[in-house]
Amino acid sequence: MTLNDFILSLQVPPYQSLTALFLLLTAAYGIGSPLLCRCRWHGSASLREFTGFVLGLDLLALLFRLGERLVCTMPATVPAVVLAIPSGYGVWLLLKQLPVICRRHWLLLLLAVAGAVWTLGSAFCMPYAWDEQVYQTALPFRYLASGSAAMVLDNPYSAFPAMQHFLMMPAIRLGGVVMPRMLIWAVYPILFVWFFLALRRFGRLTAVAITLALLLSPVVAAMNRENYAEPFIVLNLFAGACAVRGLVSVRSAALLTGIFAGMAAAVKLTAGGVSLALLLLLAGRLLRNGRGVRPALPLLAGFCGATLAAAFPFYLRSFLVTGNPFYPFGSGILHPGSTAAAVETYHTLLGRHLYGLEGWWSPAVAWIFAGFDEKLFDGVVLGLQLPLMIAASGIALFLLHRRGKARSRVFLVPLLAALAIYLFWGYSSQQTRFLLPFCFVAGWAMAALAGAFPRKIRFGLYLLLLAAAYESILFPALRHYELAWKMQKENRTRPVDFVARTSRDGAYFAMLDYLSRETPANSRVLLLFERRGLFVPREYRIGTPYFQEQFFTPVPERPDAVLDALWREKIDYILVGATEQNPEHLEVYDRENLKLSLLLRSLLRAGSLRLIPVPDGGDYTLLAVEKPSDGKITEK
């Protein structure tokens, strides 16, 4: 089998992928909407329906997390039947409301559908981005192949709670390899329609200007074309904020907001600020309603209990394997001096050294530089509109305070919530995509505070905001959607050519093609200084030192220790990578990597490893591991 045949086997017809996506989304709506309708709600019915949809999505993720083995091992018809029943009810609910939706929001619906069709070609593309091939798409495939979603020590990203993976796993079984991208593609129109409807109470012009400014942000254009987790955090942030405001019963508000806070944290640790922000919003509502601190404590305890209950099943995975629910982070405290602590150091450096500003003072100015400094912030910026929205909100708050403390005091709790999200980002990992939830919060803040300005100044601000948005447009990212449609034939018929071109690393895929054609189907491959495992046609492990702890962390002192690890883990081949496409290279570990390379050279000279020449392999090296005989190595 060639690599092209292998990748083609991961695909299904596009209509089947769209059907699987429709089944998943309507099932979420069919579960969540009726549950939320049992609670009294005041305010926009549209926001209630969106909140119900997210509740259903979260409950499906919990269901598939608890039934992960069935998802992995049972026939694909089982998750299809599980989804079909609530999906049918969701479709019936939507058909009932369709006339009202079309009458009230026909233009908004038309624009959302047009944008979705324009970007759909990208969603149909093979996953080509680094994160997708390392973990965002690769890990759900690995779980399905192994029959379990248990954490694996050779890929620390598998320790992430990653609630979205449990939505993607049954979707992949029904709709193929593109389903993670399809799910992300579907979330963005929902987010922006929801955001626009939430802002409309501040005025139609305000809602249009701010929604458009965020929609044109470079970080949105870049993230929408790949599989990233942050949109699921934003969904739960929106749902939690709507629950705090819309639910009449404070008990229901505390319980459901806690679930949304827990599910946001169940996406990844970087959502901790979002969970804290929802707690502050709930506390603000309880205190604003005239409740004292003591009567509010049981409700806040209920919120915390619901948060822990929602997040617990997802953090349990890493705890069962490592004893640390936040692995690798916190390993230095729980297991000082261990290999896990060394892995934590590596990933801490990865988050702080490569991305953003360093120092305790950095959050004070990071929001400015994140708007335009690509080199400082992982190649993608937020656009000048973010600093402008923050500055305008600050001036408006100052003007309200001067007119009367009572006016500005209303915004105290939302301000604290926004600061919780931002400061958590500023003191954890300053990657611009992690700040996506805060971008929406900043947009809401400007919309809510814009009334402090006179009408002409407000109109001028909107023009300035849209000019900044236009100046920040990432035109190559927008052109990507046009090219994605043009490349669909190659994507569907010659996927190896497609991913080699879009990944800009043809030598790597030449190596994978050789593995597919020339190695036994039951062989196991170790990826060394390389992490992209999605399209590896054999069972694989990742062996890069300090990135993970299962192999060579720390690097052994003698070659026989390296060989023992290879034999123990039944490694048949080693693919040694030297790609320039690695966005996560840390120079501080070059010495350790060189040390391991010299140990491999010793094994090669001793005959324990055998070099396999691969045409067009570039700077990559493929080594075969010789089977053990007497277990001795002669070092030359």
Side-chain angles (χ1 to χ4, degrees):
M1 176 185 287
T2 66
L3 182 63
N4 207 68
D5 294 332
F6 172 73
I7 298 179
L8 285 173
S9 70
L10 305 179
Q11 295 182 342
V12 300
Y15 73 85
Q16 187 174 332
S17 300
L18 286 170
T19 302
L21 179 67
F22 181 79
L23 198 65
L24 180 64
L25 298 183
T26 52
Y29 183 70
I31 292 172
S33 180
L35 287 176
L36 199 61
C37 283
R38 299 175 68 89
C39 305
R40 291 178 59 200
W41 184 277
H42 64 79
S44 170
S46 300
L47 301 187
R48 181 192 63 196
E49 298 305 312
F50 279 115
T51 305
F53 164 74
V54 177
L55 177 62
L57 211 59
D58 290 343
L59 292 177
L60 279 176
L62 278 167
L63 174 66
F64 291 133
R65 164 66 186 96
L66 298 176
E68 64 175 67
R69 289 193 177 272
L70 294 178
V71 173
C72 293
T73 59
M74 295 291 285
T77 52
V78 174
V81 170
V82 170
L83 291 172
I85 299 172
S87 174
Y89 187 60
V91 170
W92 181 71
L93 290 176
L94 284 172
L95 289 176
K96 282 178 58 179
Q97 300 181 49
L98 192 60
V100 177
I101 295 172
C102 292
R103 186 173 65 252
R104 293 182 178 178
H105 309 298
W106 66 270
L107 181 58
L108 182 62
L109 185 63
L110 184 64
L111 291 173
V113 170
V117 171
W118 182 49
T119 56
L120 178 59
S122 176
F124 280 143
C125 290
M126 288 289 102
Y128 62 85
W130 181 270
D131 284 2
E132 291 177 301
Q133 294 188 50
V134 174
Y135 71 103
Q136 294 286 20
T137 304
L139 281 175
F141 265 92
R142 186 166 172 181
Y143 298 151
L144 291 171
S146 66
S148 169
M151 177 200 162
V152 290
L153 286 173
D154 68 295
N155 191 334
Y157 297 132
S158 67
F160 290 0
M163 84 75 160
Q164 73 280 6
H165 285 175
F166 295 92
L167 293 171
M168 293 173 181
M169 285 163 60
I172 287 170
R173 298 206 64 191
L174 298 173
V177 68
V178 300
M179 283 310 297
R181 294 174 71 95
M182 294 285 290
L183 188 55
I184 296 296
W185 163 81
V187 166
Y188 275 98
I190 294 171
L191 280 179
F192 279 98
V193 170
W194 192 350
F195 188 62
F196 174 82
L197 293 175
L199 296 188
R200 203 174 53 174
R201 66 192 182 98
F202 302 117
R204 189 175 295 274
L205 179 61
T206 299
V208 169
I210 294 178
T211 303
L212 192 58
L214 284 179
L215 185 62
L216 296 177
S217 171
V219 74
V220 172
M223 291 178 67
N224 186 37
R225 60 181 180 170
E226 297 178 16
N227 174 16
Y228 286 118
E230 282 69 27
F232 292 95
I233 299 175
V234 181
L235 279 178
N236 281 283
L237 171 63
F238 282 11
C242 287
V244 168
R245 179 179 174 81
L247 287 166
V248 174
S249 167
V250 289
R251 291 184 179 180
S252 299
L255 177 64
L256 286 177
T257 307
I259 291 174
F260 294 131
M263 294 305 291
V267 175
K268 60 196 309 183
L269 274 172
T270 53
V274 169
S275 301
L276 180 57
L278 292 177
L279 174 62
L280 290 170
L281 290 177
L282 177 67
R285 173 183 170 176
L286 296 177
L287 296 176
R288 189 170 61 248
N289 287 352
R291 293 174 177 267
V293 174
R294 183 172 295 179
L297 288 178
L299 294 170
L300 295 176
F303 169 94
C304 294
T307 300
L308 292 174
F312 175 78
F314 300 94
Y315 284 92
L316 181 64
R317 296 169 53 248
S318 59
F319 178 78
L320 291 175
V321 176
T322 67
N324 176 8
F326 310 114
Y327 180 92
F329 304 105
S331 297
I333 298 173
L334 295 174
H335 310 291
S338 65
T339 55
V343 173
E344 179 193 15
T345 301
Y346 181 98
H347 287 273
T348 301
L349 287 173
L350 197 62
R352 293 181 179 174
H353 174 64
L354 292 183
Y355 308 111
L357 298 167
E358 297 186 63
W360 63 268
W361 52 269
S362 62
V365 294
W367 60 276
I368 301 174
F369 288 96
F372 63 88
D373 197 328
E374 293 186 9
K375 292 183 179 179
L376 194 60
F377 288 93
D378 62 352
V380 178
V381 293
L382 300 170
L384 297 174
Q385 53 267 53
L386 178 69
L388 181 59
M389 287 190 295
I390 294 174
S393 300
I395 295 171
L397 197 59
F398 173 75
L399 292 175
L400 285 178
H401 183 74
R402 288 191 62 183
R403 294 171 190 169
K405 293 183 178 180
R407 292 185 178 184
S408 61
R409 196 178 295 129
V410 175
F411 294 96
L412 176 61
V413 172
L415 176 63
L416 292 175
L419 283 174
I421 297 174
Y422 178 74
L423 292 177
F424 194 93
W425 172 83
Y427 288 112
S428 56
S429 180
Q430 292 183 10
Q431 296 189 49
T432 47
R433 58 189 175 90
F434 294 170
L435 204 56
L436 184 66
F438 180 76
C439 293
F440 285 96
V441 172
W444 181 91
M446 182 174 178
L449 289 163
F453 296 106
R455 185 175 181 180
K456 289 184 179 179
I457 294 179
R458 187 163 66 244
F459 184 75
L461 271 176
Y462 294 155
L463 289 178
L464 183 61
L465 183 64
L466 292 176
Y470 179 80
E471 179 65 25
S472 302
I473 290 177
L474 194 62
F475 285 103
L478 295 181
R479 179 164 167 73
H480 156 85
Y481 299 109
E482 176 188 350
L483 293 175
W485 278 114
K486 293 180 179 180
M487 298 175 71
Q488 279 306 305
K489 183 177 180 180
E490 181 182 55
N491 175 61
R492 299 294 305 177
T493 59
R494 304 191 310 278
V496 173
D497 293 341
F498 175 82
V499 292
R501 182 188 304 182
T502 51
S503 300
R504 300 187 300 278
D505 198 357
Y508 175 66
F509 289 95
M511 278 287 183
L512 296 189
D513 185 54
Y514 182 91
L515 286 172
S516 184
R517 289 184 291 105
E518 304 295 339
T519 62
N522 61 348
S523 55
R524 181 178 291 181
V525 180
L526 182 70
L527 303 179
L528 195 59
F529 313 133
E530 173 60 65
R531 302 164 200 173
R532 292 170 291 176
L534 175 61
F535 296 122
V536 176
R538 299 289 179 260
E539 184 181 357
Y540 72 93
R541 300 290 184 269
I542 300 174
T544 304
Y546 299 97
F547 169 77
Q548 47 73 51
E549 67 167 289
Q550 186 172 352
F551 295 90
F552 316 135
T553 302
V555 176
E557 296 297 327
R558 294 182 53 81
D560 56 349
V562 174
L563 190 59
D564 286 343
L566 296 174
W567 286 344
R568 184 177 62 251
E569 297 296 333
K570 301 178 180 179
I571 301 299
D572 299 298
Y573 299 92
I574 306 173
L575 198 165
V576 184
T579 178
E580 296 180 356
Q581 304 302 327
N582 183 0
E584 301 174 342
H585 176 68
L586 290 172
E587 294 84 356
V588 70
Y589 289 94
D590 283 349
R591 185 181 295 273
E592 290 294 294
N593 294 339
L594 176 62
K595 179 180 175 182
L596 180 57
S597 299
L598 293 176
L599 293 174
L600 292 176
R601 180 177 295 181
S602 297
L603 292 174
L604 188 62
R605 289 175 176 172
S608 300
L609 300 178
R610 175 169 50 87
L611 178 65
I612 301 176
V614 178
D616 302 319
D619 293 328
Y620 289 89
T621 302
L622 185 62
L623 302 172
V625 181
E626 298 296 344
K627 300 301 180 183
S629 52
D630 59 0
K632 296 180 181 179
I633 304 170
T634 303
E635 189 173 354
K636 296 182 181 180

